[in-house]
Amino acid sequence: MSRPITLFTGQWADLPFEEVARLAAEWGYDGLEIACWGDHLDVWRAAEDDAYVRNRLDILEKHGLKVWTISNHLKGQAVCDDPIDHRHRAILPDRIWGDGEPEGVRQRAAEEMKMTARAAARLGVKTVVGFTGSSIWKYVAMFPPVGQEYIDAGYQDFADRWNPILDVFDEVGVRFAHEVHPSEIAYDYWTTVRTLEAIGHREAFGLNWDPSHMVWQGIDPVSFLWDFRDRIYHVDCKDTKLRTGNGRNGRLGSHLAWADARRGWDFVSTGHGDVPWEQCFRVLGAIGYDGPISVEWEDAGMDRLRGAAEAVKFVRENFFEPPADAFDAAFSSGD
């Protein structure tokens, strides 16, 4: 298969970068989608230190790997979020958290995302994956009632905060791929439409397609690919298993921990859930997506060493490229 398969390192950030590279190479991955936390990638150092950039690339080369994408979900989350609270303190470094004053956190997170674009360019990477955060996710249940003007203000807040970040992405020739995900400004079909409208459909902003977040919401990931085919800048392969058929397990998770059998759904290792992978892969071929297929391993019920090794085999065996010629070309009576 000609399409590169990469491993997203976010769930492996407790391990040294070189150890993750070694494991990924042994399992048969072609490269890494590098997370900008742990010791995997410091974007400020990458943006300013030639030796640091060379070190990251040398580690990849040593293990026969490449990098097409870097990801900075944790800092991107803080750009728009309201409230900023103890959850953010747990995922942000001291240089972003500072004294914890919310607007200061948002401003420093925005600067981090600008530096992420610069770091990507220096690594030779054209796509950054991440979250945007949202000032209006707290209104998702719409009770107590919330006026439309507050929703409108939320999309304006997103545009005001992200347009200056995207200006830097344009400046260095890198694109941002927003992961459509609950708790973000775009989390389903119609919020994605609204998000793209809010920034005038500018080219620097596209989508990271991760079907696992769509399946449990009842959104068709195949139709999503087709409808947003000009904005699919990156693909993450993660799966979801639904358990909502017993009349008790709900879609919202019921404040139950991952892998609790009472949950209505769980993230599971690629190929073990309800994502219609063959249909998805066919449409990815039909829309001409030519980027990497990146495995994002999340499964609270399976050891990650087994899950990641299985997932790359699953993708290799099930993803296929469209044919070079139409199957009925051989029927032609022409010379």
Side-chain angles (χ1 to χ4, degrees), residues 12 27 269 272 297 302-311:
W12 307 78
W27 291 326
S269 196
H272 289 268
W297 178 86
M302 178 185 289
D303 182 87
R304 64 182 177 178
L305 297 178
R306 170 174 174 170
E310 277 190 358

Side-chain angles (χ1 to χ4, degrees), residues 48-325:
E48 299 173 347
D49 184 345
D50 290 342
Y52 180 77
V53 171
R54 187 66 260 163
N55 173 264
R56 299 294 94 174
L57 295 175
D58 284 347
I59 289 173
L60 292 171
E61 185 176 352
K62 174 182 175 182
H63 295 283
L65 302 174
K66 295 183 179 179
V67 57
W68 289 268
T69 316
I70 65 173
S71 295
N72 207 348
H73 297 71
L74 306 187
K75 311 338 184 295
Q77 185 70 41
V79 172
C80 288
D81 260 8
D82 184 21
I84 297 286
D85 57 26
H86 61 94
R87 299 166 301 160
H88 301 82
R89 168 69 283 200
I91 65 172
L92 295 174
D94 291 342
R95 73 181 179 213
I96 305 296
W97 182 255
D99 62 3
E101 190 277 320
E103 186 56 28
V105 173
R106 295 185 193 105
Q107 294 292 337
R108 289 187 290 275
E111 291 304 310
E112 180 94 1
M113 295 310 295
K114 294 174 184 177
M115 293 302 283
T116 305
R118 297 182 179 114
R122 285 168 57 82
L123 285 161
V125 166
K126 295 297 184 183
T127 305
V128 170
V129 177
F131 291 150
T132 60
S134 171
S135 65
I136 53 175
W137 174 252
K138 60 194 176 190
Y139 300 137
V140 68
M142 301 297 278
F143 192 86
V146 57
Q148 186 60 43
E149 66 271 20
Y150 292 99
I151 304 303
D152 294 341
Y155 284 98
Q156 187 61 53
D157 177 73
F158 155 72
D160 291 344
R161 294 182 185 278
W162 274 89
N163 272 321
I165 298 170
L166 296 173
D167 288 342
V168 176
F169 275 77
D170 278 334
E171 175 188 314
V172 298
V174 175
R175 307 180 301 182
F176 182 75
H178 167 57
E179 185 168 337
V180 178
H181 184 296
S183 79
E184 309 308 320
I185 195 67
Y187 60 89
D188 63 8
Y189 184 93
W190 294 112
T191 56
T192 300
V193 170
R194 183 75 189 270
T195 295
L196 293 172
E197 290 173 347
I199 54 169
H201 295 268
R202 61 185 296 177
E203 296 260 335
F205 188 93
L207 307 174
N208 176 48
W209 176 82
D210 181 338
S212 67
H213 306 300
M214 300 174 190
V215 167
W216 71 263
Q217 293 185 79
I219 299 163
D220 177 13
V222 181
S223 298
F224 190 96
L225 276 175
W226 181 257
D227 290 344
F228 295 103
R229 56 192 177 275
D230 64 329
R231 292 291 162 156
I232 304 301
Y233 289 175
H234 191 253
V235 165
D236 271 348
C237 280
K238 190 169 69 179
D239 219 329
T240 293
K241 187 65 181 177
L242 299 174
R243 294 193 297 269
T244 53
N246 64 6
R248 297 188 295 274
N249 301 351
R251 289 190 182 274
L252 297 185
S254 308
H255 289 298
L256 295 168
W258 300 113
D260 189 309
R262 297 169 295 171
R263 283 184 58 89
W265 61 275
D266 258 310
F267 292 131
V268 294
S269 196
T270 305
H272 289 268
D274 295 309
V275 172
W277 289 112
E278 180 171 336
Q279 297 175 59
C280 293
F281 290 157
R282 285 180 180 273
V283 173
L284 280 169
I287 66 175
Y289 174 75
D290 59 2
I293 305 294
S294 191
V295 169
E296 182 180 5
W297 178 86
E298 287 186 4
D299 190 328
M302 178 185 289
D303 182 87
R304 64 182 177 178
L305 297 178
R306 170 174 174 170
E310 277 190 358
V312 65
K313 293 177 182 177
F314 176 86
V315 176
R316 285 208 190 279
E317 290 171 358
N318 288 275
F319 189 93
F320 44 85
E321 303 285 355
D325 299 304

